Amino acid sequence: MKIMHLSDLHLGKRVNEFSMLEDQTYILNEIINIIDEQKPKVIILAGDIYDKPIPPAEAVEIFDDFLYKLSKRNLYVFIISGNHDSAERIAFGSRLFDKSGIYLSPVYNGKISPICIDDKYGKVNFYMLPFIKPVHVRRFFPDAEVYTYTDALSTVISDMHIDTAQKNILITHQFVTGSSRTESEDVSVGGSDNVDADIFKDFDYVALGHIHRSQCCDSEYIRYCGTPLKYSFSESKDIKSITMLDIKEKGNIKLDFIPLTPLRDMVEIKGSYNELMLKSFYENTSLTDDYVHITLTDEEDIPDVITKLRVVYKNIMKLDYDNQRTKKSSEINSINDMDSKSPLELFDTFYELQNGKHLSDTQRVFLKNIIEEIWEYK
C-alpha cells in the first residue's frame, strides 16, 4: 500500500505581509501531478490545513478544489485538525465525506476508532488523532493522572487497545521532544507541549504534523513530513518534499522523499547595494521573482533603499544591514556627568556608543550649527 504523507498546508498564510495563496495553489497542483505519477492509495493530511481557525474564503476555496481533485482519483484521504485549525470546522460534513473515501477527524470525544483498509498484504489500521491538549483528555478520563501532553497522548493511545500483530498507522499533530523547530511555528514557553516519542512504540508508522522541517523522531518511522512550502527564512536552505511510504508485510516499510519545486523560492542574499544591483549578479537567476531577505553590508544607510531594491527584487520580504554599527553589541547605558557635558559632547558620546566611532569633523560642524540654531548655543 503506497501512502502519501502531507501536513501543515497553512492555507491562507501571510509571510511578512505577503499572501501565499498563489504559491499554495501552485504547490497543491504540483502535488496532484505527483499523485498521478506515483498512484498512492492513501493520502494523509496531518493537521494545520489552514493558518487560522477562521480561514479566509479564498483559502477554503483552494482546499475545496484540492479535495474535489482528490475525490476524483479514487483514493482514501485522512484529514485531521491541527493547532491552527478549528476542529469543528475541519469536522464539518465528515459523515457525508466518509462515503467518498475522504475521512475528516471529528472533534475529540474520548474515543478513537481505527479505519481499516485492506490490500494484498492484509489489513492496515489508520488511527486519526487530532491536536489535543491535556484539558481535552481530562474531561473524558477523570480518573487518569493527566498533567502533561505526554500524559494526555499516552492515556488516549492506551485506550485504543492497539493490536500489535496488525499493521497500525497513527495520524496526529503534536510536538515530539527533540524535534528541530523553525521560525514559522508556534512555540510553547518551556517546551510545555513536548510529547515523548516512546509512547508511539505500538505503531508501525506515525504520520506527524506541526513541525515545518522534514525529520524523524527517535525512529525513522515516527516522522514529520514538513510543510510543502517555506514559511520563514530559517527554512531557506531546506529542501521541501513529500514523504511517501510503501507498507507491505508487517515490518516491511519503504520510505521515499519526492522533492517539491515551488513557484517562488525563499532565499537570503548578502552584499553591498552596488554589488546586488549589478546585472551580472541577478541575471539568469530566479532572484528577481523569489522571496528574498537582503542583508546590505554598506556602512551608511541608503535613502529609500527598499524602493530601489524592488526595481530588481520585486518580492523582497526583509532587509537588514550588517556593518560596523550593527556588529557593535555594547549596550547604551546612562552617560556619566551628563550635567557637565555640552549637547555636542553628549551627542558625540551617544553616536560613539551607537556606531562604534566618533563623529567626523564634517558631522561635528554640521551638528554644531544645528545646535546653535536651536539652542542658541555659543
Side-chain angles (χ1 to χ4, degrees):
M1 183 183 297
K2 291 184 74 172
I3 301 168
M4 177 181 284
H5 174 193
L6 302 166
S7 77
D8 294 88
L9 304 181
H10 285 278
L11 299 177
K13 188 175 184 64
R14 299 182 70 86
V15 178
N16 295 310
E17 300 309 315
F18 280 70
S19 170
M20 302 301 289
L21 285 170
E22 184 181 9
D23 303 81
Q24 290 169 336
T25 301
Y26 177 88
I27 208 67
L28 289 180
N29 285 331
E30 289 297 293
I31 290 170
I32 289 294
N33 292 336
I34 292 171
I35 289 171
D36 289 340
E37 292 170 5
Q38 295 291 321
K39 302 192 183 313
K41 186 171 185 176
V42 175
I43 308 295
I44 289 172
L45 287 163
D48 280 357
I49 306 304
Y50 299 112
D51 193 55
K52 303 288 184 185
I54 304 178
E58 297 88 346
V60 177
E61 290 173 3
I62 290 171
F63 191 55
D64 175 70
D65 182 65
F66 184 58
L67 281 185
Y68 175 75
K69 290 174 180 175
L70 292 179
S71 71
K72 292 295 184 182
R73 284 162 170 79
N74 194 30
L75 303 166
Y76 292 95
V77 182
F78 297 103
I79 304 168
I80 67 168
S81 54
N83 58 304
H84 278 249
D85 298 312
S86 162
E88 292 79 8
R89 287 181 172 84
I90 293 297
F92 176 80
S94 58
R95 287 173 293 181
L96 294 174
F97 278 112
D98 285 355
K99 297 177 181 179
S100 63
I102 297 176
Y103 297 90
L104 306 172
S105 62
V107 177
Y108 180 66
N109 59 9
K111 288 290 180 184
I112 304 291
S113 298
I115 297 166
C116 304
I117 299 177
D118 287 311
D119 67 4
K120 65 180 181 179
Y121 294 100
K123 182 169 63 175
V124 182
N125 302 315
F126 291 84
Y127 293 84
M128 302 172 67
L129 176 57
F131 175 73
I132 54 171
K133 299 179 180 180
V135 65
H136 301 144
V137 177
R138 285 195 292 267
R139 175 185 172 190
F140 298 102
F141 298 90
D143 297 328
E145 294 185 354
V146 179
Y147 304 107
T148 67
Y149 277 73
T150 295
D151 293 339
L153 265 74
S154 180
T155 299
V156 171
I157 291 170
S158 294
D159 190 61
M160 292 179 185
H161 305 294
I162 307 297
D163 182 355
T164 56
Q166 298 183 12
K167 293 176 287 186
N168 302 292
I169 292 178
L170 176 67
I171 307 165
T172 193
H173 190 96
Q174 299 289 344
F175 174 60
V176 177
T177 304
S179 303
S180 172
R181 292 188 186 269
T182 69
E183 293 176 359
S184 60
E185 297 148 6
D186 292 338
V187 177
S188 294
V189 177
S192 61
D193 58 349
N194 285 9
V195 174
D196 294 338
D198 58 7
I199 67 173
F200 301 126
K201 63 183 183 303
D202 290 339
F203 294 97
D204 296 86
Y205 184 81
V206 181
L208 292 166
H210 186 46
I211 300 300
H212 291 183
R213 180 169 286 143
S214 176
Q215 60 194 283
C216 62
C217 306
D218 191 51
S219 161
E220 64 176 321
Y221 303 118
I222 303 174
R223 179 168 292 278
Y224 290 103
C225 61
T227 53
L229 290 172
K230 300 174 185 179
Y231 288 136
S232 73
F233 286 105
S234 65
E235 303 164 63
S236 63
K237 292 181 171 56
D238 292 357
I239 298 174
K240 296 299 181 178
S241 64
I242 289 173
T243 299
M244 294 287 299
L245 56 148
D246 192 357
I247 181 167
K248 295 180 180 177
E249 306 90 354
K250 176 80 174 179
N252 184 359
I253 301 177
K254 178 185 176 184
L255 293 175
D256 193 15
F257 306 96
I258 302 172
L260 287 167
T261 302
L263 179 64
R264 305 175 186 89
D265 202 359
M266 190 170 281
V267 297
E268 295 181 297
I269 56 176
K270 182 177 181 178
S272 70
Y273 172 78
N274 288 334
E275 288 171 343
L276 300 188
M277 294 299 282
L278 286 172
K279 189 174 182 181
S280 59
F281 182 85
Y282 59 79
E283 69 178 347
N284 300 319
T285 74
S286 61
L287 290 172
T288 55
D289 290 314
D290 288 339
Y291 297 118
V292 293
H293 170 200
I294 293 178
T295 301
L296 292 177
T297 56
D298 302 87
E299 289 298 328
E300 300 296 332
D301 289 354
I302 299 170
D304 200 22
V305 67
I306 283 280
T307 301
K308 294 174 181 176
L309 287 168
R310 280 207 171 112
V311 173
V312 173
Y313 306 100
K314 61 185 179 183
N315 290 316
I316 178 172
M317 279 188 168
K318 188 177 179 182
L319 174 69
D320 288 314
Y321 279 88
D322 183 12
N323 51 32
Q324 288 186 2
R325 174 171 53 83
T326 59
K327 288 175 181 175
K328 177 121 178 116
S329 59
S330 61
E331 286 188 25
I332 299 176
N333 297 315
S334 60
I335 300 172
N336 295 326
D337 302 323
M338 277 188 63
D339 294 339
S340 64
K341 293 181 182 290
S342 69
L344 181 59
E345 290 171 328
L346 286 171
F347 194 92
D348 184 52
T349 302
F350 172 79
Y351 186 87
E352 180 189 5
L353 291 169
Q354 179 79 2
N355 299 283
K357 59 184 179 180
H358 286 285
L359 291 165
S360 67
D361 291 341
T362 302
Q363 289 171 323
R364 290 179 70 86
V365 171
F366 180 76
L367 185 61
K368 184 175 182 294
N369 290 335
I370 291 176
I371 291 172
E372 289 177 348
E373 182 179 339
I374 296 175
W375 279 287
E376 296 183 356
Y377 178 73
K378 304 294 183 185

